[in-house]
Amino acid sequence: MSYLYSPIPRVLVAAIILVSVPSPPRAVACSASFPNQMDGGVGTGDEALLQVPAGDFNREIKRLDLPACALVFTGGNSAADTAETDIADLRAALVAAGRSAADVTAIADPFAAVRVKMVEYAKACADWRERQGWRRWQRNAKPDPEPARPELVVPAGLPEEFSLYFRGALAWHAGQIDHARQFWLAVLSLPPGQRHYRSTWAVFMLGKISGDEPDRAKDFFKMTRRLASEGFADSLGLAAGSLGWEARLELDCGNVASAIGLYTMQFAGGDPTASMSLRRAADAALRSTPETLDILARDPIVRGVITAYIVAEGGPFQPAPTSERIRAWLDAVERSKTPVLRGADSLAWAAYQWGDYAMAGRWVVLAEEGSGMGRWIKAKLLLRQGKVAEGTAMLARAAERFSPDEQWFSHSPYEPAFVPADRIAGELGVLKLARGQYIQAMDLLLRHGHWLDAAYVAERVLRVEELLEYVRRSWPMSATEPAAAVANWYENDRMSAPQTRSRIRALLGRRLVRLGRFTEAAEFLPAETAAQLDVYVKAIRAGGDTTLTRDQRGLSLWKAAKIARNSGMELMGTELGPDAFFSGGAFENNWILESRRKAKWALTACGDDELARLGAWAEAGVPERRWHYRWIATAHAWDAAAMLPDESDFTAAVLCTAGSWIKVQDPRGADRFYKALVRRCGTTDLGRVANKRRWFPTCPEP
């Protein structure tokens, strides 16, 4: 992008072209988009498990044998950056020429003042263009006047190379291209010792303004790199930038292989714009004729870039290539009969990703033995053939080849990065669950960040004694790691080890509370919740203590009711459905359970034992009602009201409040509270209003 009155624009950022293309014929796993749940998790079935993820384009490019690049991208492409560099170079040139400090100040300060005016004007123009863009959407909006061009004078005393270059820049921004060319050629005609600082700048700009003569422009960009290698100053990193400009010319001329070669050098130099440019070049390559594809397929770097583009499904802000173009490319690679070992795993990946499992099988045989991606594809192919034991073993071998620190950035800019080692571990967990290896399955899911999948196993499948033994053995309280807060997924997208420990222990604690095993539960709940549990249990016990008066017992049971209603999620809420602790109760998540109960999958379906365990859980006394603890609270309140006197304002408030807790979700259940309020407390204010309204009035909680 060029900037007004900026002596030198940085690397051209490739345009982002959003093209509407048909989606490839690919089955995509559908699941709730919760951060702590794996794509292809325990409730999504065989097809989701058998999919492979999209690749990380940048990672795939880094795996190639890229040519060495001594050029390093320096960054900084704004008018202000350029001006700052321009001034710094001038000061350095004056000092190198032996000028006094006073002379340096006398020459550089006026130049800096002019450059500041140029930057301010550039910013004013950019702001003006932005405003005009918005005004197009406003009815009857009058356009702002364009910013006035400042009067700029070349300061006196500049070294000749700076003076000539600067005059060329002013002419260029004024649209006087021929004048600019003459000034910049004049820079290059100076003796080498007198153009140390502006040779690369001048020749780069000559390349830029020669775009209508591609061959000449490419020569100038090559010269930029040659001059930098000969020791001429390259303070803006123009040698690296010239790679992208020359590559763009090659691409526009249809020389895809040359363009990709230059872009990969630019990528190796660290220029962040190179990734998008490479994907644009790969997209152009896939649109080539079969004859051109055959030529491109024989170049290992070009082959790797195009294949990386396919497995990345286009990458961020780039549409995925169509299945027809992918098929044409893979066929061209096979026709090339080039011995391929390095990169064969990516070709197998691309073929598998787009549904040609036979071709994937042919390529994966050629993949290097140590390739994690090759093993992953082999595992998927074995599973598709029904060879579950072999596929599971190969999946475990694939996991060994991925570092737990390796992250892949999604092909979608709206999805987070993921860790392939975690993904593979999750797939192993799904397979182990379907084969009744519940503890191993949950441990894999839990330790690799798939919380909702692990919670399903912990809460619905494992018997409580199995979960108790596992947690005590595998997740004991740590003396070195403090307990972490148990938060819902809005606050925890990816849990740390302390968070995982706290969360699985809290899940177990709440399950023990639901079973009435309060003493054991306190060991696993967070300290604050355990203290609340202690108050709750004491209130229940006081309610059943026949040595106390009926009023004392009623008040204690009412206290228990309020705790169950207001803190029931933390004390006894289910992690998934019906209560959905994981989302703070915001989502009624039972879809994993329902999917596994009903689906008839071949690889990942429930076994008879798992189905039996699910049935036993449903009979364990926890109603399949959202926020089930509200009904526990109303049961306490009903017992409390039974201990309290009739025609009492307090008793009336208890009945009114408790009935209101469930009047929307369970009108029939609330009806008995309404009738008791009218029957037992009809002379109270609440009772009279309830009788008149034929339902609950608004009432303060007693």
Side-chain angles (χ1 to χ4, degrees):
M1 178 178 291
S2 63
Y3 293 83
L4 285 174
Y5 284 98
S6 171
I8 188 71
R10 280 291 301 132
V11 185
L12 178 67
V13 180
I16 299 173
I17 304 172
L18 299 178
V19 183
S20 176
V21 296
S23 299
R26 182 182 181 216
V28 179
C30 295
S31 64
S33 51
F34 297 129
N36 298 126
Q37 184 165 23
M38 177 181 67
D39 289 338
V42 300
T44 51
D46 291 355
E47 194 57 33
L49 173 73
L50 293 173
Q51 291 294 339
V52 291
D56 179 333
F57 180 80
N58 286 359
R59 171 190 175 273
E60 294 305 304
I61 298 302
K62 290 174 183 176
R63 294 176 61 209
L64 303 175
D65 287 326
L66 297 181
C69 181
L71 305 176
V72 178
F73 172 73
T74 59
N77 62 352
S78 70
D81 292 334
T82 303
E84 184 177 342
T85 304
D86 201 7
I87 297 164
D89 279 357
L90 174 60
R91 292 183 184 278
L94 293 171
V95 171
R99 305 297 291 268
S100 68
D103 285 348
V104 171
T105 300
I107 296 171
D109 283 0
F111 182 70
V114 174
R115 296 298 281 111
V116 168
K117 287 184 180 180
M118 294 168 64
V119 171
E120 290 173 347
Y121 178 64
K123 184 178 185 306
C125 289
D127 293 343
W128 176 80
R129 285 191 294 271
E130 183 177 355
R131 288 196 304 273
Q132 303 323 296
W134 283 109
R135 285 179 179 275
R136 282 197 292 269
W137 300 96
Q138 299 173 0
R139 185 174 297 178
N140 301 323
K142 295 181 179 179
D144 290 341
E146 188 172 351
R149 186 185 299 274
E151 292 293 332
L152 299 174
V153 178
V154 180
L158 294 178
E160 192 170 7
E161 61 174 318
F162 283 89
S163 177
L164 289 170
Y165 180 83
F166 191 55
R167 292 173 189 278
L170 293 176
W172 178 56
H173 287 302
Q176 301 169 354
I177 305 302
D178 288 337
H179 282 81
R181 180 181 289 109
Q182 294 306 314
F183 282 119
W184 290 329
L185 287 171
V187 172
L188 298 178
S189 68
L190 294 173
Q194 297 178 24
R195 54 181 171 89
H196 174 75
Y197 290 94
R198 287 296 168 264
S199 290
T200 57
W201 291 44
V203 77
F204 183 93
M205 288 304 293
L206 286 167
K208 185 181 176 189
I209 64 175
S210 301
D212 55 345
E213 301 177 85
D215 290 338
R216 188 181 183 193
K218 285 186 278 187
D219 287 341
F220 280 126
F221 290 130
K222 288 183 175 68
M223 189 185 299
T224 304
R225 299 194 292 277
R226 179 173 60 77
L227 289 173
S229 70
E230 291 174 357
F232 287 90
D234 185 21
S235 49
L236 281 176
L238 300 177
S242 70
L243 292 168
W245 281 84
E246 185 181 345
R248 179 61 183 268
L249 290 169
E250 295 285 11
L251 191 60
D252 290 345
C253 294
N255 303 324
V256 177
S258 297
I260 289 177
L262 289 163
Y263 281 138
T264 53
M265 289 179 63
Q266 184 186 13
F267 184 94
D271 191 330
T273 68
S275 175
M276 186 65 188
S277 299
L278 275 171
R279 284 182 276 126
R280 183 176 178 274
D283 183 71
L286 287 175
R287 300 170 188 272
S288 303
T289 64
E291 294 75 18
T292 301
L293 289 177
D294 288 343
I295 296 171
L296 297 175
R298 290 193 285 271
D299 185 314
I301 295 296
V302 174
R303 183 172 63 239
V305 169
I306 296 174
T307 306
Y309 176 71
I310 291 172
V311 300
E313 297 182 8
F317 305 108
Q318 187 84 0
T322 64
S323 57
E324 292 79 9
R325 290 183 182 133
I326 294 167
R327 162 62 63 187
W329 171 248
L330 293 173
D331 287 345
V333 176
E334 283 208 311
R335 282 196 306 271
S336 71
K337 301 187 183 300
T338 302
V340 176
L341 290 176
R342 189 176 182 86
D345 53 353
S346 294
L347 289 162
W349 187 359
Y352 185 98
Q353 198 174 39
W354 298 97
D356 192 333
Y357 306 121
M359 181 183 285
R362 294 195 294 273
W363 280 118
V364 83
V365 169
L366 300 176
E368 295 173 294
E369 171 56 29
S371 166
M373 198 65 221
R375 292 179 181 181
W376 204 351
I377 299 299
K378 286 178 185 178
K380 302 281 185 176
L381 291 170
L382 289 167
L383 291 172
R384 282 195 174 274
Q385 296 165 14
K387 299 176 181 178
V388 179
E390 297 96 318
T392 303
M394 184 59 69
L395 204 56
R397 292 183 62 200
E400 298 170 355
R401 304 303 302 175
F402 290 97
S403 164
D405 298 324
E406 180 177 341
Q407 287 189 334
W408 292 4
F409 288 89
S410 170
H411 68 293
S412 167
Y414 308 108
E415 296 178 10
F418 76 97
V419 178
D422 288 345
R423 165 93 176 231
I424 297 173
E427 293 175 350
L428 284 168
V430 172
L431 289 167
K432 287 181 181 294
L433 174 62
R435 273 134 202 89
Q437 299 169 349
Y438 306 130
I439 295 293
Q440 299 97 313
M442 185 183 67
D443 192 61
L444 281 166
L445 294 166
L446 188 60
R447 293 184 186 279
H448 289 273
H450 310 299
W451 170 247
L452 295 187
D453 301 287
Y456 162 78
V457 183
E459 195 163 66
R460 292 280 182 164
V461 179
L462 290 183
R463 298 185 178 96
V464 70
E465 297 302 333
E466 294 172 331
L467 181 59
L468 189 62
E469 191 277 331
Y470 166 77
V471 171
R472 280 181 170 156
R473 182 186 71 246
S474 301
W475 298 97
M477 287 304 297
S478 172
T480 58
E481 292 180 345
V486 179
N488 62 46
W489 66 266
Y490 292 110
E491 298 158 330
N492 273 327
D493 285 354
R494 181 70 166 86
M495 294 187 293
S496 64
Q499 289 170 330
T500 302
R501 175 182 289 104
S502 297
R503 197 146 185 178
I504 190 63
R505 289 177 66 85
L507 181 151
L508 171 58
R510 296 195 304 274
R511 187 171 177 185
L512 290 168
V513 170
R514 295 196 295 270
L515 294 172
R517 295 165 63 168
F518 303 127
T519 302
E520 292 172 284
E523 174 188 345
F524 299 98
L525 293 171
E528 183 178 342
T529 307
Q532 185 79 314
L533 175 64
D534 183 59
V535 176
Y536 175 65
V537 172
K538 286 178 179 177
I540 294 174
R541 288 173 179 165
D545 187 348
T546 57
T547 66
L548 300 177
T549 66
R550 290 179 64 83
D551 280 352
Q552 289 173 323
R553 293 171 66 188
L555 289 173
S556 292
L557 288 170
W558 177 238
K559 184 177 184 178
K562 290 193 292 182
I563 292 173
R565 170 61 182 85
N566 298 321
S567 301
M569 179 69 86
E570 293 76 19
L571 286 171
M572 63 191 81
T574 58
E575 185 72 23
L576 303 181
D579 302 324
F581 177 92
F582 82 96
S583 68
F587 295 94
E588 189 174 5
N589 188 316
N590 255 347
W591 77 272
I592 297 178
L593 171 66
E594 296 307 318
S595 294
R596 292 197 66 76
R597 273 179 172 166
K598 296 176 182 178
K600 303 297 181 184
W601 302 314
L603 297 173
T604 60
C606 278
D608 292 340
D609 181 66
E610 185 180 343
L611 286 171
R613 287 168 178 250
L614 297 178
W617 192 96
E619 298 166 3
V622 179
E624 288 287 2
R625 278 176 165 168
R626 194 174 187 185
W627 307 309
H628 84 280
Y629 46 84
R630 294 184 181 180
W631 281 263
I632 294 174
T634 58
H636 291 322
W638 184 260
D639 293 341
M643 295 288 176
L644 298 172
D646 292 346
E647 304 305 336
S648 159
D649 288 337
F650 188 86
T651 305
V654 167
L655 290 167
C656 181
T657 300
S660 298
W661 286 343
I662 60 172
K663 66 183 181 182
V664 174
Q665 292 174 280
D666 184 13
R668 186 184 297 272
D671 185 61
R672 67 170 179 160
F673 285 86
Y674 158 72
K675 289 177 178 175
L677 171 60
V678 173
R679 185 181 65 253
R680 293 183 54 197
C681 303
T683 63
T684 65
D685 290 342
L686 286 173
R688 283 192 295 270
V689 176
N691 188 39
K692 184 177 180 180
R693 294 185 60 187
R694 296 294 188 266
W695 199 233
F696 296 98
T698 302
C699 56
E701 183 177 294

